[in-house]
Amino acid sequence: MAALQSATAFQVLESARIHLNDEIGLIWTDNRLLPKLQEAHRELKNELLLNGIPVIYEVSVVLSVPALTTDLTTVTNYPSDLLSPIELKERSVGGQNIDFTGMSQVNFIPNSQQATTLNYWAWIEDKIILLGAINATEVQIRYNRDLSVPIEVNNTIGVMLGESFLSYRTSALAALSIKDYDQATALDAIAKDNLFNVIAFNVKGLQNIPGRRKPYHRRYRNGSNWFW
């Protein structure tokens, strides 16, 4: 059986056009709909963040940290999609995975003498700040990653079953842009229901929860307003 893959932006736009009764794209071309898909995608990303969905969890490559480094964002291969760090581990240069030990997160780096290991890290002004070590070390980051917004129609949306929300939300935004409030409201109602399903699927799939789990009630958008 083929592995399940997330849909492309083109597939979402094709579905959105069906919802808008414009299957061949005479009115709602890719250029008109793509910005609305991008806005819907940002909304989906925020919902995933607020619900703590592990689809946005990531582990970095092993980072080589030179001696005396106090700003981890300056090292080679620092992840460009990092939204916020969750956990940092360190090991000696050339060590094995089993050698990684947890580092302590602190609000402020203590006024301590630098040692052969880093020991501490702090998340300050969107940077991972370190005490620094007198030796070179290796660090791995577990973090919340940024979900890339599709820029082109062949880009994937990055969320399993996300198209079921995005196609309806995209078409709702399109209807709203031409002041067709009745259609926007109807499409948003379906988008809201599908959002619950997207969240439930990703929670179940990544936490191996038996049976179907319905996430707690969250806000949804109806027309131009958010409701709870």
Side-chain angles (χ1 to χ4, degrees):
M1 181 181 295
L4 185 63
Q5 296 181 336
S6 64
T8 64
F10 177 77
Q11 291 171 310
V12 174
L13 297 180
E14 287 284 270
S15 294
R17 277 189 279 267
I18 292 173
H19 307 328
L20 293 164
N21 298 313
D22 184 31
E23 289 87 346
I24 61 177
L26 288 177
I27 300 172
W28 295 107
T29 63
D30 289 348
N31 287 339
R32 290 192 70 188
L33 275 183
L34 186 58
K36 294 168 177 57
L37 167 58
Q38 292 168 338
E39 178 62 24
H41 194 277
R42 294 184 186 97
E43 293 174 1
L44 177 58
K45 180 173 69 174
N46 289 340
E47 291 295 333
L48 294 175
L49 280 169
L50 290 169
N51 282 278
I53 301 300
V55 71
I56 56 171
Y57 289 176
E58 189 59 272
V59 180
S60 74
V61 300
V62 176
L63 304 175
S64 297
V65 183
L68 308 181
T69 298
T70 58
D71 182 352
L72 194 62
T73 62
T74 63
V75 307
T76 303
N77 295 324
Y78 181 85
S80 60
D81 59 352
L82 186 149
L83 282 178
S84 60
I86 299 170
E87 179 184 26
L88 270 69
K89 294 186 176 184
E90 67 173 320
R91 71 183 182 191
S92 299
V93 174
Q96 304 298 312
N97 285 338
I98 196 172
D99 299 322
F100 274 115
T101 59
M103 297 173 58
S104 298
Q105 182 180 8
V106 293
N107 291 327
F108 301 97
I109 298 299
N111 294 320
S112 303
Q113 193 80 13
Q114 290 180 338
T116 57
T117 54
L118 293 165
N119 297 320
Y120 304 104
W121 68 276
W123 180 239
I124 300 174
E125 296 184 351
D126 294 332
K127 293 182 178 181
I128 299 177
I129 304 301
L130 309 171
L131 174 62
I134 59 176
N135 296 336
T137 57
E138 293 181 339
V139 168
Q140 192 169 59
I141 312 170
R142 286 170 170 77
Y143 63 96
N144 290 312
R145 68 174 173 85
D146 192 8
L147 190 62
S148 299
V149 174
I151 303 300
E152 300 176 349
V153 295
N154 61 341
N155 293 155
T156 59
I157 60 174
V159 181
M160 292 297 129
L161 300 189
E163 65 274 15
S164 64
F165 165 76
L166 290 173
S167 65
Y168 279 98
R169 182 63 184 141
T170 298
S171 57
L173 289 171
L176 189 64
S177 71
I178 59 172
K179 297 181 171 53
D180 189 342
Y181 299 118
D182 289 341
Q183 186 178 32
T185 298
L187 291 167
D188 256 340
I190 301 174
K192 177 202 69 171
D193 290 338
N194 288 348
L195 175 61
F196 292 154
N197 293 333
V198 172
I199 292 173
F201 174 83
N202 284 280
V203 167
K204 178 182 175 183
L206 292 166
Q207 296 184 357
N208 196 28
I209 297 174
R212 181 178 179 181
R213 171 179 163 180
K214 185 175 181 180
Y216 61 85
H217 181 70
R218 288 204 45 76
R219 63 181 182 176
Y220 69 94
R221 201 164 192 167
N222 188 347
S224 60
N225 299 310
W226 282 108
F227 292 88
W228 292 90

